[in-house]
Amino acid sequence: MASINEVAKQFTDYYYNTFDTNRKGLQPVYREHSILTWEGQEFRGAENIFEKLESLPFQRVQHKVTTLDAQPSNPSINSLLVLVTGLLLVDDESNPMQFTQSFQLIPDGESYWVYNDVFRLNYG
Amino acid sequence: MASINEVAKQFTDYYYNTFDTNRKGLQPVYREHSILTWEGQEFRGAENIFEKLESLPFQRVQHKVTTLDAQPSNPSINSLLVLVTGLLLVDDESNPMQFTQSFQLIPDGESYWVYNDVFRLNYG
């Protein structure tokens, strides 16, 4: 069985690669009870979350993970809390922005879905 | 009943005020099953966590919360996921450092304890 750090790495590799190359492909990671807080604004349910992600006002984006930490988030199921800090570059900008994103991932068979997702840009 | 955002605000006000004025006072917020990941290093259990916090190599510290987001983290209990971004200033430094901290808080009667705690400094 993959360690919690391996699961977190596989998930974030998949998540940011999909975000950057085919945003539509993210839909399956969210479910009915998923919650996204994006820059302080809350969205509940896969459909609302996906609509928000699709509406983000940039054409191209590139995420680079700087730090990645994971912990078990529940003693009874193999869910995990993941904290990412990183840099992102949008469209023709040459200065990357710092971001922070925290997920809670819930296992379902061999895969995981996102129950909690909180995203923030870090301004200096 | 306090809203989840009020709980998160009360907790972080208490946590950072205690951290900055009387670090010993933080001991009760951690329990046997608590987990702290501090700059990538993991500590389990109240005793190990508290020993780490006590050993941090600064005399004075001041946290300032920039953003605070909270979400319910479990459909069956009133636990919550909290994401903080902020600035901290240690000892005689005049330049604050950016930090990110993610908590999962578990209710116990009228109060909450910290099950998950992940702390990272954000380097530019």
Side-chain angles (χ1 to χ4, degrees):
Chain A
M1 207 178 103
S3 79
I4 208 165
N5 291 316
E6 285 164 353
V7 171
K9 175 75 168 62
Q10 282 165 16
F11 170 78
T12 51
D13 282 354
Y14 169 81
Y15 185 90
Y16 293 116
N17 184 49
T18 306
F19 200 115
D20 295 355
T21 57
N22 170 32
R23 227 182 297 166
K24 285 186 202 307
L26 286 180
Q27 198 153 16
V29 309
Y30 297 101
R31 303 253 174 116
E32 183 189 351
H33 296 289
S34 300
I35 312 171
L36 166 68
T37 308
W38 185 275
E39 288 286 274
Q41 213 188 342
E42 192 177 288
F43 302 88
R44 294 200 175 209
E47 205 170 320
N48 295 323
I49 291 171
F50 190 63
E51 199 176 299
K52 172 62 183 177
L53 296 180
E54 280 256 290
S55 75
L56 292 171
F58 43 76
Q59 296 305 309
R60 282 174 293 115
V61 58
Q62 209 183 326
H63 291 79
K64 189 172 172 295
V65 172
T66 309
T67 68
L68 175 61
D69 297 298
Q71 294 182 351
S73 65
N74 186 317
S76 13
I77 61 168
N78 290 322
S79 59
L80 57 158
L81 181 78
V82 177
L83 181 66
V84 178
T85 69
L87 298 171
L88 64 82
L89 206 54
V90 299
D91 293 335
D92 298 318
E93 287 291 329
S94 55
N95 292 321
M97 291 180 281
Q98 285 200 9
F99 75 94
T100 295
Q101 195 158 13
S102 186
F103 297 99
Q104 186 181 200
L105 307 182
I106 310 291
D108 180 19
E110 294 295 298
S111 72
Y112 289 82
W113 61 278
V114 173
Y115 182 63
N116 300 102
D117 179 351
V118 183
F119 175 90
R120 279 285 181 181
L121 291 172
N122 305 129
Y123 298 100
Chain B
M1 209 179 101
S3 78
I4 208 165
N5 291 316
E6 286 164 353
V7 171
K9 175 75 167 62
Q10 281 165 18
F11 170 78
T12 51
D13 282 354
Y14 169 80
Y15 185 89
Y16 293 117
N17 184 48
T18 307
F19 200 115
D20 295 354
T21 58
N22 171 31
R23 226 181 298 166
K24 284 186 203 308
L26 286 179
Q27 198 154 15
V29 309
Y30 297 101
R31 303 251 174 116
E32 183 189 351
H33 295 290
S34 300
I35 312 171
L36 166 69
T37 308
W38 185 275
E39 288 287 275
Q41 212 188 345
E42 191 176 289
F43 302 87
R44 295 200 175 207
E47 204 171 319
N48 294 323
I49 291 171
F50 190 63
E51 198 176 297
K52 172 62 183 175
L53 296 180
E54 279 256 291
S55 74
L56 292 170
F58 43 75
Q59 296 306 307
R60 282 175 293 114
V61 58
Q62 210 183 325
H63 291 79
K64 188 171 172 296
V65 172
T66 309
T67 69
L68 175 60
D69 297 299
Q71 295 181 351
S73 65
N74 186 317
S76 16
I77 62 168
N78 290 321
S79 59
L80 57 158
L81 181 78
V82 177
L83 181 66
V84 178
T85 70
L87 298 171
L88 63 82
L89 205 55
V90 299
D91 293 335
D92 299 317
E93 287 290 329
S94 55
N95 293 321
M97 291 179 280
Q98 286 201 8
F99 76 94
T100 295
Q101 196 158 12
S102 186
F103 297 99
Q104 186 181 202
L105 307 182
I106 310 292
D108 180 18
E110 293 295 299
S111 71
Y112 289 82
W113 61 278
V114 173
Y115 182 64
N116 300 101
D117 180 351
V118 183
F119 175 91
R120 278 286 181 179
L121 291 173
N122 304 129
Y123 298 101

